[in-house]
Amino acid sequence: MLLAAALPRTRRVAVARVALRRRETLAALRVRDRTIVLQPLLWPDRIRRPDIPFLHEDVEPHHGELHHAVRLVQGLAPEESPYTDDHRAALEAVVRAKPAGGDVERPPNANRPKASPGC
């Protein structure tokens, strides 16, 4: 409850790297209807309205606790983002190399799909 109250006051969201369906992606931790929601950044349409029975209870955090939580969130925020989209960077490198006549090489650890028996 404390983090859910501190994030909106700092006007920030938390960013996390998560693995979903065998692929790594970035996600945002946002506060929505007083609930912390993990939102994958590539699929924002998958957020549902939370159906939690105690969601609308009036619980106010103590002023001192909230003050410390806000300071903690502000202190943890980096000056610039440490997250990079490695997949996009590799794809952009291929796109830039192809028209320039450069060689486009398959990474050594990339597995080729197996041909089906009927082909």
Side-chain angles (χ1 to χ4, degrees):
M1 192 66 186
L2 194 55
L3 183 61
L7 283 174
R9 287 192 183 208
T10 60
R11 298 177 62 194
R12 296 182 185 212
V13 298
V15 177
R17 191 177 286 207
V18 296
L20 299 170
R21 296 185 182 169
R22 298 175 53 190
R23 189 159 197 209
E24 195 172 89
T25 186
L26 293 179
L29 293 175
R30 300 176 185 269
V31 178
R32 184 174 176 147
D33 295 331
R34 298 175 59 190
T35 303
I36 297 175
V37 177
L38 176 80
Q39 177 183 8
L41 295 178
L42 297 177
W43 301 289
D45 58 327
R46 295 187 182 199
I47 295 178
R48 300 185 308 237
R49 186 164 188 80
D51 184 23
I52 302 171
F54 60 86
L55 183 63
H56 299 291
E57 291 180 9
D58 282 335
V59 177
E60 290 295 323
H62 295 296
H63 179 70
E65 290 177 331
L66 183 57
H67 176 71
H68 288 297
V70 167
R71 289 184 57 207
L72 178 64
V73 169
Q74 289 173 337
L76 290 175
E79 290 297 319
E80 52 182 73
S81 176
Y83 299 104
T84 58
D85 187 348
D86 297 331
H87 177 73
R88 181 180 179 142
L91 182 61
E92 287 177 353
V94 168
V95 169
R96 282 192 303 271
K98 192 67 174 173
D103 291 333
V104 178
E105 296 180 19
R106 178 179 289 266
N109 60 353
N111 295 329
R112 293 182 182 227
K114 294 180 182 179
S116 61
C119 295

PDB file of all heavy atoms in Angstrom, residues 39-69:
ATOM      1  N   GLN A  39       2.725  -3.916 -16.131  1.00  0.00           N
ATOM      2  CA  GLN A  39       2.224  -3.708 -17.489  1.00  0.00           C
ATOM      3  C   GLN A  39       3.354  -3.906 -18.488  1.00  0.00           C
ATOM      4  O   GLN A  39       4.265  -3.091 -18.575  1.00  0.00           O
ATOM      5  CB  GLN A  39       1.667  -2.293 -17.630  1.00  0.00           C
ATOM      6  CG  GLN A  39       1.188  -1.986 -19.020  1.00  0.00           C
ATOM      7  CD  GLN A  39       0.715  -0.547 -19.160  1.00  0.00           C
ATOM      8  OE1 GLN A  39       0.878   0.251 -18.255  1.00  0.00           O
ATOM      9  NE2 GLN A  39       0.151  -0.238 -20.284  1.00  0.00           N
ATOM     10  N   PRO A  40       3.318  -5.012 -19.259  1.00  0.00           N
ATOM     11  CA  PRO A  40       4.323  -5.159 -20.311  1.00  0.00           C
ATOM     12  C   PRO A  40       4.204  -3.991 -21.285  1.00  0.00           C
ATOM     13  O   PRO A  40       3.112  -3.619 -21.689  1.00  0.00           O
ATOM     14  CB  PRO A  40       3.949  -6.481 -20.989  1.00  0.00           C
ATOM     15  CG  PRO A  40       3.160  -7.222 -19.956  1.00  0.00           C
ATOM     16  CD  PRO A  40       2.438  -6.170 -19.175  1.00  0.00           C
ATOM     17  N   LEU A  41       5.315  -3.403 -21.630  1.00  0.00           N
ATOM     18  CA  LEU A  41       5.282  -2.197 -22.452  1.00  0.00           C
ATOM     19  C   LEU A  41       4.869  -2.464 -23.898  1.00  0.00           C
ATOM     20  O   LEU A  41       4.387  -1.580 -24.570  1.00  0.00           O
ATOM     21  CB  LEU A  41       6.638  -1.503 -22.410  1.00  0.00           C
ATOM     22  CG  LEU A  41       7.026  -0.974 -21.036  1.00  0.00           C
ATOM     23  CD1 LEU A  41       8.409  -0.341 -21.083  1.00  0.00           C
ATOM     24  CD2 LEU A  41       6.008   0.032 -20.525  1.00  0.00           C
ATOM     25  N   LEU A  42       5.026  -3.682 -24.369  1.00  0.00           N
ATOM     26  CA  LEU A  42       4.649  -3.977 -25.743  1.00  0.00           C
ATOM     27  C   LEU A  42       3.179  -4.347 -25.901  1.00  0.00           C
ATOM     28  O   LEU A  42       2.664  -4.340 -26.993  1.00  0.00           O
ATOM     29  CB  LEU A  42       5.526  -5.109 -26.293  1.00  0.00           C
ATOM     30  CG  LEU A  42       7.004  -4.781 -26.383  1.00  0.00           C
ATOM     31  CD1 LEU A  42       7.785  -5.987 -26.870  1.00  0.00           C
ATOM     32  CD2 LEU A  42       7.245  -3.592 -27.288  1.00  0.00           C
ATOM     33  N   TRP A  43       2.517  -4.691 -24.801  1.00  0.00           N
ATOM     34  CA  TRP A  43       1.124  -5.115 -24.882  1.00  0.00           C
ATOM     35  C   TRP A  43       0.259  -4.360 -23.868  1.00  0.00           C
ATOM     36  O   TRP A  43      -0.296  -4.937 -22.945  1.00  0.00           O
ATOM     37  CB  TRP A  43       1.002  -6.621 -24.620  1.00  0.00           C
ATOM     38  CG  TRP A  43       1.786  -7.430 -25.580  1.00  0.00           C
ATOM     39  CD1 TRP A  43       1.511  -7.625 -26.904  1.00  0.00           C
ATOM     40  CD2 TRP A  43       2.977  -8.141 -25.314  1.00  0.00           C
ATOM     41  NE1 TRP A  43       2.452  -8.430 -27.471  1.00  0.00           N
ATOM     42  CE2 TRP A  43       3.372  -8.765 -26.510  1.00  0.00           C
ATOM     43  CE3 TRP A  43       3.749  -8.336 -24.171  1.00  0.00           C
ATOM     44  CZ2 TRP A  43       4.504  -9.554 -26.597  1.00  0.00           C
ATOM     45  CZ3 TRP A  43       4.880  -9.122 -24.263  1.00  0.00           C
ATOM     46  CH2 TRP A  43       5.236  -9.710 -25.468  1.00  0.00           C
ATOM     47  N   PRO A  44       0.087  -3.073 -23.998  1.00  0.00           N
ATOM     48  CA  PRO A  44      -0.687  -2.315 -23.009  1.00  0.00           C
ATOM     49  C   PRO A  44      -2.179  -2.641 -23.024  1.00  0.00           C
ATOM     50  O   PRO A  44      -2.883  -2.341 -22.077  1.00  0.00           O
ATOM     51  CB  PRO A  44      -0.441  -0.858 -23.405  1.00  0.00           C
ATOM     52  CG  PRO A  44      -0.071  -0.914 -24.834  1.00  0.00           C
ATOM     53  CD  PRO A  44       0.632  -2.228 -25.053  1.00  0.00           C
ATOM     54  N   ASP A  45      -2.667  -3.298 -24.066  1.00  0.00           N
ATOM     55  CA  ASP A  45      -4.094  -3.614 -24.130  1.00  0.00           C
ATOM     56  C   ASP A  45      -4.475  -4.804 -23.246  1.00  0.00           C
ATOM     57  O   ASP A  45      -5.650  -5.132 -23.134  1.00  0.00           O
ATOM     58  CB  ASP A  45      -4.502  -3.900 -25.574  1.00  0.00           C
ATOM     59  CG  ASP A  45      -3.714  -5.037 -26.186  1.00  0.00           C
ATOM     60  OD1 ASP A  45      -2.521  -5.192 -25.837  1.00  0.00           O
ATOM     61  OD2 ASP A  45      -4.283  -5.764 -27.014  1.00  0.00           O
ATOM     62  N   ARG A  46      -3.513  -5.436 -22.594  1.00  0.00           N
ATOM     63  CA  ARG A  46      -3.807  -6.596 -21.763  1.00  0.00           C
ATOM     64  C   ARG A  46      -4.072  -6.246 -20.300  1.00  0.00           C
ATOM     65  O   ARG A  46      -4.178  -7.135 -19.473  1.00  0.00           O
ATOM     66  CB  ARG A  46      -2.680  -7.599 -21.847  1.00  0.00           C
ATOM     67  CG  ARG A  46      -2.546  -8.163 -23.235  1.00  0.00           C
ATOM     68  CD  ARG A  46      -1.567  -9.263 -23.270  1.00  0.00           C
ATOM     69  NE  ARG A  46      -1.442  -9.731 -24.644  1.00  0.00           N
ATOM     70  CZ  ARG A  46      -0.960 -10.889 -24.968  1.00  0.00           C
ATOM     71  NH1 ARG A  46      -0.541 -11.713 -24.032  1.00  0.00           N
ATOM     72  NH2 ARG A  46      -0.867 -11.244 -26.212  1.00  0.00           N
ATOM     73  N   ILE A  47      -4.189  -4.987 -19.966  1.00  0.00           N
ATOM     74  CA  ILE A  47      -4.460  -4.591 -18.586  1.00  0.00           C
ATOM     75  C   ILE A  47      -5.954  -4.717 -18.315  1.00  0.00           C
ATOM     76  O   ILE A  47      -6.780  -4.241 -19.081  1.00  0.00           O
ATOM     77  CB  ILE A  47      -4.001  -3.143 -18.316  1.00  0.00           C
ATOM     78  CG1 ILE A  47      -2.485  -3.075 -18.451  1.00  0.00           C
ATOM     79  CG2 ILE A  47      -4.439  -2.676 -16.949  1.00  0.00           C
ATOM     80  CD1 ILE A  47      -1.936  -1.700 -18.257  1.00  0.00           C
ATOM     81  N   ARG A  48      -6.283  -5.392 -17.227  1.00  0.00           N
ATOM     82  CA  ARG A  48      -7.682  -5.560 -16.837  1.00  0.00           C
ATOM     83  C   ARG A  48      -7.971  -4.717 -15.608  1.00  0.00           C
ATOM     84  O   ARG A  48      -7.078  -4.385 -14.839  1.00  0.00           O
ATOM     85  CB  ARG A  48      -7.968  -7.023 -16.492  1.00  0.00           C
ATOM     86  CG  ARG A  48      -7.723  -7.980 -17.605  1.00  0.00           C
ATOM     87  CD  ARG A  48      -8.161  -9.360 -17.199  1.00  0.00           C
ATOM     88  NE  ARG A  48      -7.577  -9.749 -15.933  1.00  0.00           N
ATOM     89  CZ  ARG A  48      -6.846 -10.831 -15.747  1.00  0.00           C
ATOM     90  NH1 ARG A  48      -6.595 -11.619 -16.743  1.00  0.00           N
ATOM     91  NH2 ARG A  48      -6.367 -11.125 -14.557  1.00  0.00           N
ATOM     92  N   ARG A  49      -9.211  -4.421 -15.411  1.00  0.00           N
ATOM     93  CA  ARG A  49      -9.627  -3.719 -14.201  1.00  0.00           C
ATOM     94  C   ARG A  49      -9.530  -4.701 -13.029  1.00  0.00           C
ATOM     95  O   ARG A  49     -10.090  -5.789 -13.087  1.00  0.00           O
ATOM     96  CB  ARG A  49     -11.060  -3.222 -14.346  1.00  0.00           C
ATOM     97  CG  ARG A  49     -11.516  -2.371 -13.206  1.00  0.00           C
ATOM     98  CD  ARG A  49     -12.774  -1.609 -13.618  1.00  0.00           C
ATOM     99  NE  ARG A  49     -13.141  -0.654 -12.634  1.00  0.00           N
ATOM    100  CZ  ARG A  49     -12.571   0.541 -12.494  1.00  0.00           C
ATOM    101  NH1 ARG A  49     -11.619   0.905 -13.306  1.00  0.00           N
ATOM    102  NH2 ARG A  49     -12.971   1.369 -11.562  1.00  0.00           N
ATOM    103  N   PRO A  50      -8.810  -4.343 -11.965  1.00  0.00           N
ATOM    104  CA  PRO A  50      -8.630  -5.283 -10.861  1.00  0.00           C
ATOM    105  C   PRO A  50      -9.941  -5.546 -10.125  1.00  0.00           C
ATOM    106  O   PRO A  50     -10.710  -4.630  -9.861  1.00  0.00           O
ATOM    107  CB  PRO A  50      -7.623  -4.586  -9.949  1.00  0.00           C
ATOM    108  CG  PRO A  50      -7.671  -3.167 -10.321  1.00  0.00           C
ATOM    109  CD  PRO A  50      -8.118  -3.088 -11.743  1.00  0.00           C
ATOM    110  N   ASP A  51     -10.178  -6.808  -9.804  1.00  0.00           N
ATOM    111  CA  ASP A  51     -11.378  -7.204  -9.060  1.00  0.00           C
ATOM    112  C   ASP A  51     -10.929  -7.729  -7.697  1.00  0.00           C
ATOM    113  O   ASP A  51     -10.864  -8.931  -7.468  1.00  0.00           O
ATOM    114  CB  ASP A  51     -12.150  -8.270  -9.840  1.00  0.00           C
ATOM    115  CG  ASP A  51     -13.458  -8.643  -9.168  1.00  0.00           C
ATOM    116  OD1 ASP A  51     -13.970  -7.820  -8.382  1.00  0.00           O
ATOM    117  OD2 ASP A  51     -13.964  -9.749  -9.422  1.00  0.00           O
ATOM    118  N   ILE A  52     -10.586  -6.780  -6.813  1.00  0.00           N
ATOM    119  CA  ILE A  52     -10.073  -7.120  -5.490  1.00  0.00           C
ATOM    120  C   ILE A  52     -11.069  -6.595  -4.459  1.00  0.00           C
ATOM    121  O   ILE A  52     -11.375  -5.399  -4.450  1.00  0.00           O
ATOM    122  CB  ILE A  52      -8.679  -6.496  -5.282  1.00  0.00           C
ATOM    123  CG1 ILE A  52      -7.735  -6.988  -6.381  1.00  0.00           C
ATOM    124  CG2 ILE A  52      -8.135  -6.836  -3.902  1.00  0.00           C
ATOM    125  CD1 ILE A  52      -6.399  -6.286  -6.403  1.00  0.00           C
ATOM    126  N   PRO A  53     -11.582  -7.461  -3.573  1.00  0.00           N
ATOM    127  CA  PRO A  53     -12.648  -7.055  -2.653  1.00  0.00           C
ATOM    128  C   PRO A  53     -12.281  -5.892  -1.736  1.00  0.00           C
ATOM    129  O   PRO A  53     -13.097  -5.021  -1.493  1.00  0.00           O
ATOM    130  CB  PRO A  53     -12.922  -8.316  -1.829  1.00  0.00           C
ATOM    131  CG  PRO A  53     -12.285  -9.434  -2.547  1.00  0.00           C
ATOM    132  CD  PRO A  53     -11.239  -8.871  -3.439  1.00  0.00           C
ATOM    133  N   PHE A  54     -11.059  -5.835  -1.242  1.00  0.00           N
ATOM    134  CA  PHE A  54     -10.684  -4.788  -0.283  1.00  0.00           C
ATOM    135  C   PHE A  54     -10.103  -3.551  -0.954  1.00  0.00           C
ATOM    136  O   PHE A  54      -9.601  -2.658  -0.288  1.00  0.00           O
ATOM    137  CB  PHE A  54      -9.669  -5.335   0.734  1.00  0.00           C
ATOM    138  CG  PHE A  54      -8.401  -5.830   0.108  1.00  0.00           C
ATOM    139  CD1 PHE A  54      -7.359  -4.964  -0.164  1.00  0.00           C
ATOM    140  CD2 PHE A  54      -8.252  -7.170  -0.190  1.00  0.00           C
ATOM    141  CE1 PHE A  54      -6.194  -5.422  -0.741  1.00  0.00           C
ATOM    142  CE2 PHE A  54      -7.088  -7.637  -0.770  1.00  0.00           C
ATOM    143  CZ  PHE A  54      -6.054  -6.757  -1.040  1.00  0.00           C
ATOM    144  N   LEU A  55     -10.218  -3.456  -2.250  1.00  0.00           N
ATOM    145  CA  LEU A  55      -9.571  -2.384  -3.003  1.00  0.00           C
ATOM    146  C   LEU A  55     -10.051  -0.992  -2.594  1.00  0.00           C
ATOM    147  O   LEU A  55      -9.273  -0.052  -2.531  1.00  0.00           O
ATOM    148  CB  LEU A  55      -9.815  -2.596  -4.504  1.00  0.00           C
ATOM    149  CG  LEU A  55      -9.150  -1.602  -5.437  1.00  0.00           C
ATOM    150  CD1 LEU A  55      -7.631  -1.695  -5.314  1.00  0.00           C
ATOM    151  CD2 LEU A  55      -9.563  -1.872  -6.857  1.00  0.00           C
ATOM    152  N   HIS A  56     -11.312  -0.839  -2.317  1.00  0.00           N
ATOM    153  CA  HIS A  56     -11.856   0.499  -2.057  1.00  0.00           C
ATOM    154  C   HIS A  56     -11.991   0.830  -0.580  1.00  0.00           C
ATOM    155  O   HIS A  56     -12.683   1.791  -0.228  1.00  0.00           O
ATOM    156  CB  HIS A  56     -13.196   0.654  -2.770  1.00  0.00           C
ATOM    157  CG  HIS A  56     -13.059   0.506  -4.258  1.00  0.00           C
ATOM    158  ND1 HIS A  56     -12.419   1.440  -5.037  1.00  0.00           N
ATOM    159  CD2 HIS A  56     -13.419  -0.485  -5.098  1.00  0.00           C
ATOM    160  CE1 HIS A  56     -12.412   1.050  -6.292  1.00  0.00           C
ATOM    161  NE2 HIS A  56     -13.015  -0.131  -6.362  1.00  0.00           N
ATOM    162  N   GLU A  57     -11.329   0.065   0.290  1.00  0.00           N
ATOM    163  CA  GLU A  57     -11.318   0.408   1.707  1.00  0.00           C
ATOM    164  C   GLU A  57     -10.483   1.673   1.904  1.00  0.00           C
ATOM    165  O   GLU A  57      -9.472   1.865   1.249  1.00  0.00           O
ATOM    166  CB  GLU A  57     -10.730  -0.731   2.526  1.00  0.00           C
ATOM    167  CG  GLU A  57     -11.595  -1.965   2.578  1.00  0.00           C
ATOM    168  CD  GLU A  57     -10.949  -3.067   3.405  1.00  0.00           C
ATOM    169  OE1 GLU A  57      -9.924  -2.802   4.068  1.00  0.00           O
ATOM    170  OE2 GLU A  57     -11.475  -4.182   3.375  1.00  0.00           O
ATOM    171  N   ASP A  58     -10.919   2.517   2.793  1.00  0.00           N
ATOM    172  CA  ASP A  58     -10.176   3.742   3.085  1.00  0.00           C
ATOM    173  C   ASP A  58      -9.070   3.440   4.087  1.00  0.00           C
ATOM    174  O   ASP A  58      -9.309   3.300   5.286  1.00  0.00           O
ATOM    175  CB  ASP A  58     -11.098   4.829   3.637  1.00  0.00           C
ATOM    176  CG  ASP A  58     -11.909   5.492   2.548  1.00  0.00           C
ATOM    177  OD1 ASP A  58     -11.450   5.469   1.396  1.00  0.00           O
ATOM    178  OD2 ASP A  58     -12.982   6.020   2.847  1.00  0.00           O
ATOM    179  N   VAL A  59      -7.849   3.325   3.576  1.00  0.00           N
ATOM    180  CA  VAL A  59      -6.677   3.103   4.416  1.00  0.00           C
ATOM    181  C   VAL A  59      -5.687   4.199   4.063  1.00  0.00           C
ATOM    182  O   VAL A  59      -5.232   4.282   2.928  1.00  0.00           O
ATOM    183  CB  VAL A  59      -6.047   1.714   4.159  1.00  0.00           C
ATOM    184  CG1 VAL A  59      -4.798   1.539   4.997  1.00  0.00           C
ATOM    185  CG2 VAL A  59      -7.054   0.623   4.427  1.00  0.00           C
ATOM    186  N   GLU A  60      -5.399   5.032   5.005  1.00  0.00           N
ATOM    187  CA  GLU A  60      -4.455   6.123   4.779  1.00  0.00           C
ATOM    188  C   GLU A  60      -3.124   5.775   5.438  1.00  0.00           C
ATOM    189  O   GLU A  60      -3.091   5.444   6.619  1.00  0.00           O
ATOM    190  CB  GLU A  60      -4.995   7.428   5.380  1.00  0.00           C
ATOM    191  CG  GLU A  60      -6.181   8.002   4.645  1.00  0.00           C
ATOM    192  CD  GLU A  60      -5.826   8.450   3.230  1.00  0.00           C
ATOM    193  OE1 GLU A  60      -4.714   8.968   3.019  1.00  0.00           O
ATOM    194  OE2 GLU A  60      -6.674   8.260   2.344  1.00  0.00           O
ATOM    195  N   PRO A  61      -2.026   5.825   4.696  1.00  0.00           N
ATOM    196  CA  PRO A  61      -0.722   5.582   5.328  1.00  0.00           C
ATOM    197  C   PRO A  61      -0.365   6.743   6.236  1.00  0.00           C
ATOM    198  O   PRO A  61      -0.814   7.876   6.036  1.00  0.00           O
ATOM    199  CB  PRO A  61       0.242   5.496   4.145  1.00  0.00           C
ATOM    200  CG  PRO A  61      -0.447   6.193   3.033  1.00  0.00           C
ATOM    201  CD  PRO A  61      -1.918   6.069   3.273  1.00  0.00           C
ATOM    202  N   HIS A  62       0.437   6.445   7.254  1.00  0.00           N
ATOM    203  CA  HIS A  62       0.889   7.505   8.157  1.00  0.00           C
ATOM    204  C   HIS A  62       1.772   8.481   7.383  1.00  0.00           C
ATOM    205  O   HIS A  62       2.508   8.091   6.475  1.00  0.00           O
ATOM    206  CB  HIS A  62       1.666   6.914   9.329  1.00  0.00           C
ATOM    207  CG  HIS A  62       0.829   6.045  10.208  1.00  0.00           C
ATOM    208  ND1 HIS A  62      -0.235   6.517  10.933  1.00  0.00           N
ATOM    209  CD2 HIS A  62       0.889   4.717  10.453  1.00  0.00           C
ATOM    210  CE1 HIS A  62      -0.789   5.528  11.595  1.00  0.00           C
ATOM    211  NE2 HIS A  62      -0.131   4.410  11.326  1.00  0.00           N
ATOM    212  N   HIS A  63       1.695   9.753   7.739  1.00  0.00           N
ATOM    213  CA  HIS A  63       2.431  10.789   7.024  1.00  0.00           C
ATOM    214  C   HIS A  63       3.932  10.500   6.988  1.00  0.00           C
ATOM    215  O   HIS A  63       4.579  10.645   5.949  1.00  0.00           O
ATOM    216  CB  HIS A  63       2.163  12.153   7.654  1.00  0.00           C
ATOM    217  CG  HIS A  63       2.903  13.267   6.982  1.00  0.00           C
ATOM    218  ND1 HIS A  63       2.595  13.700   5.716  1.00  0.00           N
ATOM    219  CD2 HIS A  63       3.977  13.999   7.382  1.00  0.00           C
ATOM    220  CE1 HIS A  63       3.424  14.669   5.370  1.00  0.00           C
ATOM    221  NE2 HIS A  63       4.272  14.866   6.363  1.00  0.00           N
ATOM    222  N   GLY A  64       4.507  10.071   8.112  1.00  0.00           N
ATOM    223  CA  GLY A  64       5.946   9.798   8.171  1.00  0.00           C
ATOM    224  C   GLY A  64       6.342   8.650   7.267  1.00  0.00           C
ATOM    225  O   GLY A  64       7.371   8.703   6.582  1.00  0.00           O
ATOM    226  N   GLU A  65       5.537   7.588   7.250  1.00  0.00           N
ATOM    227  CA  GLU A  65       5.823   6.443   6.380  1.00  0.00           C
ATOM    228  C   GLU A  65       5.765   6.842   4.917  1.00  0.00           C
ATOM    229  O   GLU A  65       6.632   6.466   4.125  1.00  0.00           O
ATOM    230  CB  GLU A  65       4.813   5.319   6.629  1.00  0.00           C
ATOM    231  CG  GLU A  65       4.955   4.628   7.957  1.00  0.00           C
ATOM    232  CD  GLU A  65       3.886   3.589   8.170  1.00  0.00           C
ATOM    233  OE1 GLU A  65       2.776   3.739   7.623  1.00  0.00           O
ATOM    234  OE2 GLU A  65       4.167   2.628   8.889  1.00  0.00           O
ATOM    235  N   LEU A  66       4.740   7.610   4.571  1.00  0.00           N
ATOM    236  CA  LEU A  66       4.596   8.046   3.188  1.00  0.00           C
ATOM    237  C   LEU A  66       5.761   8.946   2.776  1.00  0.00           C
ATOM    238  O   LEU A  66       6.298   8.819   1.677  1.00  0.00           O
ATOM    239  CB  LEU A  66       3.259   8.751   2.985  1.00  0.00           C
ATOM    240  CG  LEU A  66       2.950   9.204   1.576  1.00  0.00           C
ATOM    241  CD1 LEU A  66       3.005   8.027   0.600  1.00  0.00           C
ATOM    242  CD2 LEU A  66       1.587   9.855   1.512  1.00  0.00           C
ATOM    243  N   HIS A  67       6.177   9.830   3.670  1.00  0.00           N
ATOM    244  CA  HIS A  67       7.307  10.725   3.384  1.00  0.00           C
ATOM    245  C   HIS A  67       8.574   9.907   3.105  1.00  0.00           C
ATOM    246  O   HIS A  67       9.296  10.172   2.141  1.00  0.00           O
ATOM    247  CB  HIS A  67       7.518  11.679   4.558  1.00  0.00           C
ATOM    248  CG  HIS A  67       8.709  12.565   4.406  1.00  0.00           C
ATOM    249  ND1 HIS A  67       8.758  13.604   3.495  1.00  0.00           N
ATOM    250  CD2 HIS A  67       9.911  12.559   5.038  1.00  0.00           C
ATOM    251  CE1 HIS A  67       9.929  14.201   3.580  1.00  0.00           C
ATOM    252  NE2 HIS A  67      10.653  13.586   4.517  1.00  0.00           N
ATOM    253  N   HIS A  68       8.842   8.894   3.937  1.00  0.00           N
ATOM    254  CA  HIS A  68      10.025   8.058   3.733  1.00  0.00           C
ATOM    255  C   HIS A  68       9.921   7.240   2.445  1.00  0.00           C
ATOM    256  O   HIS A  68      10.906   7.065   1.730  1.00  0.00           O
ATOM    257  CB  HIS A  68      10.243   7.129   4.930  1.00  0.00           C
ATOM    258  CG  HIS A  68      10.731   7.843   6.145  1.00  0.00           C
ATOM    259  ND1 HIS A  68      11.943   8.494   6.200  1.00  0.00           N
ATOM    260  CD2 HIS A  68      10.162   8.026   7.359  1.00  0.00           C
ATOM    261  CE1 HIS A  68      12.114   9.036   7.386  1.00  0.00           C
ATOM    262  NE2 HIS A  68      11.035   8.771   8.115  1.00  0.00           N
ATOM    263  N   ALA A  69       8.740   6.750   2.132  1.00  0.00           N
ATOM    264  CA  ALA A  69       8.556   5.971   0.908  1.00  0.00           C
ATOM    265  C   ALA A  69       8.781   6.841  -0.330  1.00  0.00           C
ATOM    266  O   ALA A  69       9.402   6.403  -1.304  1.00  0.00           O
ATOM    267  CB  ALA A  69       7.162   5.354   0.868  1.00  0.00           C
TER     268      ALA A  69
END
